[in-house]
């Protein structure tokens, strides 16, 4: 499969991602309310934005991905070995910690 066909296929799959598939109808219902013209225009603008954004993203990313493609077999082996080591450590009872910043709510205005 050539790179452009892969990019087109990935773009078609992006339209049915879990977030978009669940949220898009609800969002359009909120925006469109009872106006069929507004519903059509909202859908048209959202489709144009989606195609433009992901089309440009694909055009920019495809040359980079093509260049890095030859290194993927080595990267997947390294990732697999790292996952194997982590799995063995967890089976041996070791605990792994991931330090993340603590999220705090914004202060309330009085």
């Amino acid at each position: 499969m050539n790179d452009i066909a892969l990019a087109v296929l990935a773009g078609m799959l992006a339209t049915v991602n879990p977030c978009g598939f669940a949220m898009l109808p609800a969002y359009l219902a909120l925006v469109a309310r009872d106006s069929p013209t507004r519903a059509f225009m909202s859908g048209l603008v959202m489709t144009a934005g989606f195609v433009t954004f992901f089309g440009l993203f694909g055009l920019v990313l495809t040359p980079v991905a093509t260049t890095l493609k030859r290194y993927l077999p080595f990267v997947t082996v390294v990732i697999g070995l790292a996952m194997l080591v982590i799995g063995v450590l967890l089976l041996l009872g070791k605990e792994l910690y991931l330090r993340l910043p603590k999220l705090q709510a914004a202060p309330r205005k009085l």
Side-chain angles (χ1 to χ4, degrees):
M1 180 181 303
N2 65 21
D3 296 331
I4 299 298
L6 179 62
V8 169
L9 181 63
M12 289 191 307
L13 287 174
T15 61
V16 291
N17 69 69
C19 186
F21 189 73
M23 298 298 292
L24 185 59
Y27 180 72
L28 279 177
L30 177 70
V31 169
R33 296 190 187 120
D34 294 329
S35 172
T37 304
R38 188 170 178 169
F40 176 75
M41 291 307 293
S42 298
L44 191 66
V45 168
M46 288 171 59
T47 300
F50 189 89
V51 168
T52 302
F53 177 80
F54 285 105
L56 291 173
F57 186 76
L59 286 174
V60 168
L61 200 61
T62 297
V64 174
T66 304
T67 304
L68 297 178
K69 187 169 42 175
R70 65 178 159 210
Y71 300 112
L72 282 179
F74 304 110
V75 172
T76 55
V77 169
V78 170
I79 292 172
L81 289 173
M83 290 174 65
L84 180 68
V85 168
I86 291 171
V88 169
L89 289 174
L90 290 173
L91 284 173
L92 293 175
K94 303 289 182 184
E95 292 187 26
L96 302 177
Y97 296 99
L98 181 63
R99 295 182 57 94
L100 297 173
K102 183 177 179 183
L103 299 177
Q104 296 179 351
R108 293 185 182 204
K109 295 182 181 178
L110 298 176

